[in-house]
């Protein structure tokens, strides 16, 4: 555990980052920090930050860097654990901010879940999430046992407002415009692993574990 790096997950919305992060949390003691979840929690609480960012998120645009960075800093202390950063960075500037403010002196590893952008729209429109348990379902490839209900918590599943087709196209465009510069940044730092995310989640998981040299996994877990 002591030698585990801090992990940065890059990938388009729907590339499987969140699902794989949950697996590492359950099996390897990582803490998952998703800036999308943090922002949605602020909206859910009705905080002034939440009210300010709601329209931006609903439209699939990016919230400004400093707002997201401050939220991230308030919610993770890298001196106290190993984190998976999911959804941050989303721009080269955020990658630099992350290094400077949260990862100074830490061993890090970046994983890029590379996926054919054409398959994403279908994947995301079929995504359903359970906000309390954090479970992520897909109506086609990983449906819940009872329609509309989380297997773990029994809570109703949610179709995120920004998981609709028009907004997804916007989010994919935003992703396409920023990914190359981040990939180049982490390549230069020699901390980049690229995983083929076009395939089944169990294969993605195997490839992820081997890229991170993690083993001793309990394969009986639900996903
Ligand atoms: P996600 O759950 O990661 O897909 O994020 C949902 C939405 O939250 C994004 O489409 C953005 O509007 C906003 N968001 C999440 N993370 C960031 C970030 N690092 N920078 C700017 N906006 C973000």
């Amino acid at each position: 555990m002591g030698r585990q790096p801090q992990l940065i997950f890059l990938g388009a919305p729907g590339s499987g980052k969140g699902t794989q992060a949950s697996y590492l949390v359950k099996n390897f003691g990582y803490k998952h920090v998703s800036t999308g979840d943090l922002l949605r929690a602020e909206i859910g609480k009705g905080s002034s930050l939440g009210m300010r960012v709601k329209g931006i998120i609903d439209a699939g645009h990016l919230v400004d860097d400093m707002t997201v960075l401050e939220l991230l800093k308030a919610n993770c202390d890298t001196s106290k654990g190993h984190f998976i950063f999911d959804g941050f960075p989303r721009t080269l500037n955020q990658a630099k901010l992350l290094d400077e403010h949260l990862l100074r002196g830490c061993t890090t590893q970046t994983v890029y879940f590379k996926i054919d952008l054409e398959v994403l729209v279908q994947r995301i429109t079929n995504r359903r999430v359970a906000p309390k348990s954090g479970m992520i379902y897909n109506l086609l490839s990983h449906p819940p046992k009872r329609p509309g209900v989380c297997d773990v918590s029994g809570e109703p599943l949610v179709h995120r407002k920004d998981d609709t087709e028009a907004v997804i196209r916007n989010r994919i465009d935003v992703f396409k415009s920023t990914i190359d510069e981040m990939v180049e940044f982490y390549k230069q730092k020699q901390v980049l692993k690229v995983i083929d995310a076009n395939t089944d989640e169990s294969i993605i998981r195997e490839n992820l574990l081997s890229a991170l040299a993690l083993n001793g996994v309990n394969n009986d877990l639900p996903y």
Side-chain angles (χ1 to χ4, degrees):
M1 179 72 199
R3 280 171 292 129
Q4 271 174 243
Q6 306 285 346
L7 296 180
I8 299 163
F9 280 8
L10 302 179
S15 58
K17 302 185 301 288
T19 302
Q20 300 301 333
S22 303
Y23 185 79
L24 295 191
V25 167
K26 287 195 187 99
N27 291 281
F28 295 97
Y30 271 100
K31 293 176 185 165
H32 179 210
V33 59
S34 148
T35 44
D37 286 349
L38 294 175
L39 290 162
R40 282 184 289 277
E42 291 296 316
I43 295 171
K45 281 191 279 187
S47 70
S48 60
L49 190 156
M51 294 303 94
R52 192 155 51 79
V53 300
K54 185 175 184 319
I56 301 172
I57 293 178
D58 285 350
H61 298 304
L62 289 185
V63 175
D64 70 279
D65 292 349
M66 294 322 282
T67 298
V68 190
L69 177 70
E70 289 307 321
L71 194 58
L72 192 58
K73 278 163 75 177
N75 283 279
C76 85
D77 179 350
T78 46
S79 70
K80 299 226 171 83
H82 298 100
F83 285 83
I84 300 170
F85 293 90
D86 171 4
F88 194 101
R90 265 183 155 89
T91 61
L92 178 59
N93 188 46
Q94 290 187 3
K96 291 177 179 167
L97 289 171
L98 182 61
D99 262 14
E100 197 180 316
H101 291 265
L102 283 144
L103 297 176
R104 202 173 273 252
C106 296
T107 311
T108 62
Q109 182 69 67
T110 304
V111 181
Y112 173 27
F113 294 82
K114 194 168 184 186
I115 189 165
D116 178 355
L117 298 178
E118 301 307 313
V119 304
L120 276 180
V121 174
Q122 200 202 19
R123 225 195 236 190
I124 306 179
T125 48
N126 285 296
R127 177 160 70 178
R128 298 294 181 273
V129 297
K132 289 201 190 99
S133 68
M135 293 288 286
I136 302 167
Y137 298 88
N138 185 287
L139 298 184
L140 303 177
S141 62
H142 178 209
K145 293 192 180 87
R146 272 201 299 145
V149 179
C150 177
D151 298 348
V152 174
S153 61
E155 70 192 292
L157 298 182
V158 173
H159 185 195
R160 280 170 44 180
K161 212 170 165 182
D162 60 347
D163 274 353
T164 53
E165 186 158 348
V167 179
I168 289 160
R169 294 207 179 275
N170 214 352
R171 291 165 65 203
I172 291 175
D173 283 347
V174 170
F175 172 79
K176 276 203 256 184
S177 68
T178 57
I179 186 63
D180 291 348
E181 60 190 18
M182 288 192 289
V183 163
E184 197 47 45
F185 177 76
Y186 289 115
K187 242 190 217 167
Q188 295 284 327
K189 289 167 70 79
Q190 302 187 329
V191 292
L192 184 71
K193 302 273 181 192
V194 181
I195 303 272
D196 178 6
N198 290 301
T199 175
D200 285 356
E201 75 189 45
S202 59
I203 298 172
I204 299 174
R205 186 208 304 154
E206 290 303 318
N207 292 336
L208 174 67
L209 294 177
S210 96
L212 296 176
L214 292 168
N215 49 31
V217 183
N218 177 0
N219 284 312
D220 296 336
L221 284 161
Y223 66 97

